[in-house]
Amino acid sequence: MSDVSFVRTEMLPEQAPPASEVGLIGWIRHNLFSGWFNSILTLVSLYAIYYVLSGVLPWVFQSVWNANSLNECREIMMATWGSTHGHACWAVINDRWLQLLFGFYPSHLYWRPIAALLLLLVALAPVLYSDRLPTKMLIFSAIYPFLMVWLMWGGTIWGPIAAALGFVVGWGVYTLVSKQLSGLFGLIAGVAASVIWWLVLSSYFVGALDSILPIGIEAVQSRQFGGFMLAILLGVVAIGVSLPIGIVLALGRQSDLMIVKYLCVGFIEFIRGVPLITLLFVASLLLNLFLPPGTNFDIILRVMIMMTLFSAAYMAEVIRGGLAALPRGQYEGADSLGLNYWQAQRLIIMPQALKISIPGIVSTFIGIFKDTTLVSIIGLFDVIGLASAIRADTAWNGIYWELFAFIAALFFVVCFSMSRYSMYLERKLQTGHH
Amino acid sequence: MTTLTDPPKEQFRLSMLLYDTRYRSATIQVIALIGFMLLAAWIISNTIQNLEALGKPVEFGFFGESASYDINQRLLEYTSQDSHLRAAFIGLLNTLVVAVLGCITATIVGVLVGVLRLSNNWLVARIMTVYVEMFRNVPVLLWIVLAMAILIEGLPAPNAFRGDNPTATMDLFNSVAVTNRGVYIPEFLFSRSLGDIHLFGTSSLRFDISLDLVAFLVVLGGSIFTMRKVSAWAADKQESTGDRPKIWHIQLGILFVPMIILMAVLGLHLGYPELKGFNFRGGTHMRNSLIALWLALSLYTAAFIAEIVRAGILAISKGQTEAASALGLRPGRTMRLVILPQALRVIIPPMISNYLNLTKNSSLAIAVGYMDITGTLGGITMNQTGRELECVLLLMLVYLCISLSISAVMNWYNNSVKLVER
């Protein structure tokens, strides 16, 4: 019995894994050099990174920031590094960055677009964070469009107030008439009242109040708008106005009313089938022909109208996607509660459908925002138009890359952060379903 | 005993148009239609009044007039004496050229980037992410203008190729010259050419079709048809005997032998570009404007396609791959028979809309001076004749037709690969 071989009674302590499998070395082996093909890919990528960075980094950092013209820039480069090649002349940005951002907006009024942008964030907050902020803040969101117009264009305060009063008048007439008669009559009467107010009465109202109480700020002409500010303005107006139009179009496209449906389908497919540039041609050349003789409103407003129609068609498709994603049971549930069409839309369908389509709405916004650069083709001074204008100046004639790099960086920062935000929203919304 | 009686028949009253759901939808539709027609009539009457005031009645006679401007990048022959209609036609072909080229390269680059973004190689995946984010978040117009600037500023001028010690040399065995005036590539020439067919006589839409090209297409079609027959024969053989005969060398022969014979018969040779005087002669000249537009549009769209491809591949659950390997399929076949057919269903619809976007974005050619339909019909023709209404409406109509046909073709394809459900 005593020649039993040795049997271990306790576990051996765990050994540390080999150094080549864990830590930095292990990670590199697994992710960069896991096979001959991967190793080649890694080496090629490393060379590509080195090649790009060795060209770009000296250009960006060994650069001239203070000079009054390209020639002066080149002289400084010659004196410092002995060559003009491979060094950026950021002096042009240093010299003209305000113009690239604001166009020809009067420089002592720069606070107004900045204030409008900051207030936009305040107005958006209760919409985006509806669960954390009080609903009362939505009142400010409703006031904001009129406030923005007043801040940007200036002039008397009574103009925007009169425009806002048009909605109040319409709403008042609608509630009055729909109590007395029916909802449909109320709607027609309300719309008619608003239109009469805006077209006929509001000018007297503004004139009268302006002579009694002339409250106003310095007016700015539309043709002074430009630069990156114009891109933001066009993008925000187009998306803001196109959202309600897009909802109506999407509902129209989904509806059982055949004529309404085909009108909506026709509009959406027409707009989506033509390039934005042709719609901008319409804005700059044809829109005045379509309106009564003698009407002449400025090009920025015309471009806004066409951009809004353009984004409304895309918005309608995004919202239609949201509507289609809702399960059938939601519609049936609303029906079984006895809600009518508009009540069901307002209380059950739209809150969910819009929530689903937020990522799509954000990416439409990014698209529209990038497309605002097209207005440079019809002669507006947005960033790209201003870049050409700066190049036409004798001091900066022949400068390309610095301007392009600056413009690309501006767009990249805004668009990239928006797309990240929409991805965050997507993730946040997805957790609800699982 | 009770008797059933019909409910009293309601008299039709006018108010039922509003309150009765049976009639209300008709009322709303009629109101919408009347409203739409009123709006259309209002716009049309305004337009007529405005045009009368300007003294420009709507007419299309200007299309027959001489265009008197030149189009430097073109597929068909065109001189400045040709009509505006001919110019618009050349422009339309140019639009289609850049759209087709762009779609092909965007698909290749996009699929490659999309697959590489999923690579196990951390570095490659990151680089591809940077590429995608860089291109997606900067306006395409900026990319087009930037590409044009790179081509003009960054490439050597033709005279850099001159002399005993040139600073620039031609690429690919002295056959391709990349200069700041465009790229010169070799062209196909036939010493025993079959000639051309001239379609539509001398009208503005006249169109020459090279019979050599037709011959090549016919031979290629015949070869592909025979190849399919051969592989069907091989499949039959496999089903009856269990052995699949080796056919790949037969297939290669069928594909290439007739083609090589035809080349020899027609006397195919390449015409190389040569430096003569201040510029290159011979070969095919692709202008900077075309290359810049093509490059920018395809790289921009490729970033979007890459995201679509990535999402499509990620959408196929891992269980599919595992099930395929449990069945004993090799990785290549797993990809071809299991993953791809399913991923394609997810990928194709958004891919279609990206092809459409590329085609529509090609209208930005006007920014670099490439004469596409926007540059001819919506650009110089419109400015010369002052016919804004006619030109812009026709331009929109042309784009609408292109978009609708692309989506029709692609939807047909999509329906053919779609999962057939109950």
Side-chain angles (χ1 to χ4, degrees):
Chain A
M1 291 294 277
S2 63
D3 59 343
V4 173
S5 14
F6 169 75
V7 176
R8 188 179 286 280
T9 52
E10 78 279 7
M11 292 279 282
L12 272 177
E14 252 178 44
Q15 282 200 327
S20 62
E21 289 297 315
V22 287
L24 186 64
I25 298 171
W27 185 86
I28 287 177
R29 270 183 63 132
H30 281 293
N31 289 299
L32 298 180
F33 296 99
S34 58
W36 62 270
F37 182 66
N38 250 343
S39 309
I40 294 176
L41 273 184
T42 306
L43 293 179
V44 170
S45 323
L46 279 177
Y47 178 72
I49 294 174
Y50 167 75
Y51 183 79
V52 169
L53 289 187
S54 66
V56 169
L57 286 184
W59 182 76
V60 171
F61 291 106
Q62 296 186 346
S63 50
V64 179
W65 278 94
N66 291 305
N68 289 320
S69 71
L70 189 58
N71 283 334
E72 204 182 320
C73 242
R74 288 191 173 139
E75 278 163 23
I76 299 175
M77 283 177 199
M78 276 314 270
T80 325
W81 297 288
S83 87
T84 59
H85 193 72
H87 304 286
C89 176
W90 296 117
V92 64
I93 307 297
N94 197 4
D95 191 30
R96 299 293 184 96
W97 67 278
L98 278 173
Q99 198 183 21
L100 283 170
L101 289 184
F102 294 99
F104 300 108
Y105 209 85
S107 54
H108 62 284
L109 299 178
Y110 281 165
W111 63 271
R112 273 160 49 179
I114 295 170
L117 185 64
L118 293 179
L119 288 175
L120 171 71
L121 300 181
V122 177
L124 275 180
V127 182
L128 295 179
Y129 301 99
S130 49
D131 44 349
R132 273 179 253 162
L133 291 169
T135 331
K136 272 184 189 160
M137 278 182 73
L138 280 173
I139 298 173
F140 178 73
S141 307
I143 298 173
Y144 178 75
F146 307 99
L147 187 62
M148 185 204 76
V149 168
W150 184 59
L151 276 177
M152 295 299 295
W153 273 273
T156 169
I157 197 172
W158 299 112
I161 288 182
L165 273 180
F167 287 99
V168 178
V169 167
W171 179 252
V173 171
Y174 166 73
T175 38
L176 258 179
V177 175
S178 57
K179 257 183 208 154
Q180 301 290 323
L181 288 161
S182 81
L184 195 62
F185 272 131
L187 196 66
I188 294 171
V191 171
S194 298
V195 170
I196 291 171
W197 169 264
W198 282 321
L199 292 185
V200 185
L201 298 176
S202 66
S203 57
Y204 297 114
F205 171 82
V206 174
L209 276 173
D210 202 30
S211 55
I212 301 167
L213 261 182
I215 306 174
I217 49 179
E218 193 179 328
V220 179
Q221 298 295 317
S222 288
R223 61 187 150 76
Q224 291 173 297
F225 285 33
F228 202 56
M229 184 191 86
L230 184 63
I232 297 178
L233 181 71
L234 287 176
V236 168
V237 169
I239 289 296
V241 182
S242 71
L243 196 57
I245 303 177
I247 291 175
V248 171
L249 282 173
L251 288 178
R253 194 169 182 167
Q254 294 280 56
S255 92
D256 305 324
L257 312 175
M258 204 185 55
I259 296 176
V260 174
K261 182 177 170 179
Y262 282 119
L263 286 178
C264 292
V265 171
F267 176 81
I268 293 172
E269 292 303 325
F270 173 72
I271 298 277
R272 280 161 45 92
V274 300
L276 177 59
I277 187 73
T278 59
L279 294 175
L280 291 178
F281 281 156
V282 170
S284 74
L285 300 168
L286 300 187
L287 209 56
N288 273 344
L289 290 181
F290 293 155
L291 295 171
T295 337
N296 194 2
F297 49 96
D298 69 73
I299 178 79
I300 302 256
L301 199 56
R302 282 182 275 156
V303 166
M304 275 177 182
I305 292 175
M306 294 317 288
M307 296 271 304
T308 304
L309 293 182
F310 179 75
S311 62
Y314 285 83
M315 200 59 93
E317 287 298 278
V318 168
I319 292 168
R320 188 169 72 111
L323 287 174
L326 276 194
R328 189 89 215 119
Q330 297 292 327
Y331 293 88
E332 288 160 0
D335 283 347
S336 68
L337 283 175
L339 300 178
N340 69 23
Y341 181 77
W342 292 109
Q343 285 170 329
Q345 292 299 338
R346 191 163 54 84
L347 300 171
I348 311 256
I349 308 299
M350 270 306 149
Q352 300 184 69
L354 285 181
K355 204 172 180 184
I356 299 174
S357 17
I358 284 180
I361 293 173
V362 176
S363 62
T364 311
F365 181 72
I366 296 175
I368 295 290
F369 184 62
K370 286 187 295 176
D371 281 343
T372 54
T373 51
L374 265 62
V375 298
S376 63
I377 292 180
I378 58 165
L380 292 186
F381 285 106
D382 84 316
V383 230
I384 291 184
L386 277 172
S388 321
I390 290 174
R391 259 203 307 282
D393 187 342
T394 46
W396 299 112
N397 194 354
I399 199 153
Y400 280 99
W401 318 113
E402 292 81 356
L403 288 172
F404 287 144
F406 180 70
I407 297 169
L410 279 181
F411 275 99
F412 183 83
V413 168
V414 175
C415 296
F416 185 71
S417 39
M418 276 195 293
S419 73
R420 288 291 126 158
Y421 176 70
S422 105
M423 281 160 86
Y424 153 77
L425 271 183
E426 231 167 318
R427 272 199 304 278
K428 192 174 113 183
L429 294 177
Q430 251 178 9
T431 51
H433 298 296
H434 295 295
Chain B
M1 196 175 150
T2 54
T3 52
L4 278 174
T5 52
D6 279 344
K9 244 203 156 95
E10 266 189 87
Q11 205 68 37
F12 179 77
R13 279 168 288 114
L14 212 54
S15 62
M16 280 167 71
L17 282 179
L18 269 184
Y19 297 114
D20 193 319
T21 45
R22 282 171 299 177
Y23 302 111
R24 189 161 59 183
S25 67
T27 320
I28 294 175
Q29 299 201 56
V30 168
I31 291 177
L33 191 65
I34 291 174
F36 173 72
M37 292 197 321
L38 280 179
L39 183 72
W42 184 69
I43 287 178
I44 290 173
S45 84
N46 283 336
T47 312
I48 291 173
Q49 280 181 34
N50 280 317
L51 286 178
E52 255 171 25
L54 291 171
K56 288 200 286 192
V58 178
E59 51 157 21
F60 292 89
F62 68 92
F63 271 120
E65 291 163 17
S66 168
S68 63
Y69 60 89
D70 203 24
I71 298 177
N72 51 28
Q73 180 84 52
R74 56 178 186 259
L75 281 185
L76 304 178
E77 44 92 29
Y78 166 89
T79 59
S80 54
Q81 273 88 48
D82 275 312
S83 63
H84 282 294
L85 185 60
R86 178 79 179 162
F89 180 59
I90 301 281
L92 175 62
L93 288 180
N94 277 347
T95 295
L96 294 179
V97 164
V98 80
V100 170
L101 285 177
C103 285
I104 294 171
T105 31
T107 312
I108 296 171
V109 177
V111 170
L112 204 67
V113 173
V115 171
L116 283 180
R117 261 197 96 177
L118 293 171
S119 156
N120 294 328
N121 191 315
W122 182 85
L123 199 60
V124 172
R126 285 299 162 287
I127 291 180
M128 292 307 150
T129 311
V130 169
Y131 163 79
V132 167
E133 295 299 346
M134 212 169 78
F135 273 86
R136 280 203 315 172
N137 289 315
V138 172
V140 62
L141 181 61
L142 193 64
W143 284 121
I144 293 173
V145 180
L146 187 67
M148 189 68 179
I150 290 177
L151 290 183
I152 292 178
E153 299 283 309
L155 294 178
N159 64 16
F161 292 81
R162 185 192 311 283
D164 296 327
N165 261 333
T167 45
T169 49
M170 288 165 72
D171 306 313
L172 286 179
F173 310 111
N174 254 0
S175 62
V176 177
V178 181
T179 74
N180 66 356
R181 292 192 198 166
V183 174
Y184 297 82
I185 54 173
E187 60 184 338
F188 292 113
L189 293 174
F190 300 95
S191 47
R192 290 179 289 278
S193 174
L194 297 173
D196 296 333
I197 317 177
H198 305 285
L199 290 182
F200 305 118
T202 56
S203 71
S204 296
L205 300 180
R206 65 184 179 278
F207 200 98
D208 293 346
I209 296 178
S210 158
L211 278 177
D212 309 310
L213 187 68
V214 174
F216 271 104
L217 289 180
V218 167
V219 169
L220 185 68
S223 303
I224 290 175
F225 181 74
T226 326
M227 281 165 72
R228 295 183 76 159
K229 281 277 176 220
V230 170
S231 63
W233 165 80
D236 271 355
K237 190 99 176 172
Q238 185 181 17
E239 281 189 4
S240 56
T241 65
D243 284 331
R244 192 176 177 84
K246 263 210 165 74
I247 53 165
W248 62 268
H249 51 281
I250 309 178
Q251 299 280 51
L252 278 184
I254 294 173
L255 185 61
F256 285 110
V257 171
M259 200 64 90
I260 293 170
I261 293 174
L262 184 68
M263 284 179 190
V265 168
L266 293 179
L268 176 88
H269 59 278
L270 292 175
Y272 294 109
E274 272 175 81
L275 189 62
K276 279 187 184 150
F278 291 107
N279 220 332
F280 280 89
R281 294 284 153 75
T284 305
H285 182 191
M286 294 171 82
R287 305 239 164 207
N288 275 336
S289 48
L290 169 62
I291 295 182
L293 190 68
W294 174 25
L295 217 62
L297 282 181
S298 31
L299 290 180
Y300 179 78
T301 313
F304 289 87
I305 290 181
E307 282 300 274
I308 292 167
V309 170
R310 188 176 78 107
I313 293 175
L314 285 179
I316 308 304
S317 72
K318 217 172 156 53
Q320 297 285 329
T321 322
E322 288 166 358
S325 41
L327 284 175
L329 292 183
R330 274 168 289 156
R333 290 198 146 194
T334 308
M335 196 53 159
R336 194 158 52 86
L337 299 173
V338 179
I339 307 291
L340 231 45
Q342 300 184 69
L344 275 185
R345 288 193 197 108
V346 185
I347 290 173
I348 287 172
M351 199 90 128
I352 299 170
S353 71
N354 267 301
Y355 288 154
L356 276 174
N357 282 343
L358 190 147
T359 312
K360 285 186 284 171
N361 281 337
S362 75
S363 60
L364 296 179
I366 202 168
V368 286
Y370 176 67
M371 297 299 268
D372 73 333
I373 183 89
T374 315
T376 54
L377 180 63
I380 303 183
T381 292
M382 182 166 77
N383 291 337
Q384 276 187 4
T385 59
R387 299 274 168 193
E388 299 95 2
L389 186 74
E390 294 90 335
C391 286
V392 172
L393 290 186
L394 261 180
L395 188 61
M396 292 173 116
L397 191 69
V398 168
Y399 275 110
L400 204 58
C401 290
I402 297 177
S403 306
L404 291 181
S405 22
I406 292 179
S407 45
V409 169
M410 288 300 185
N411 282 335
W412 167 79
Y413 177 65
N414 189 27
N415 282 335
S416 68
V417 298
K418 198 168 72 177
L419 194 67
V420 182
E421 289 178 26
R422 278 172 291 135

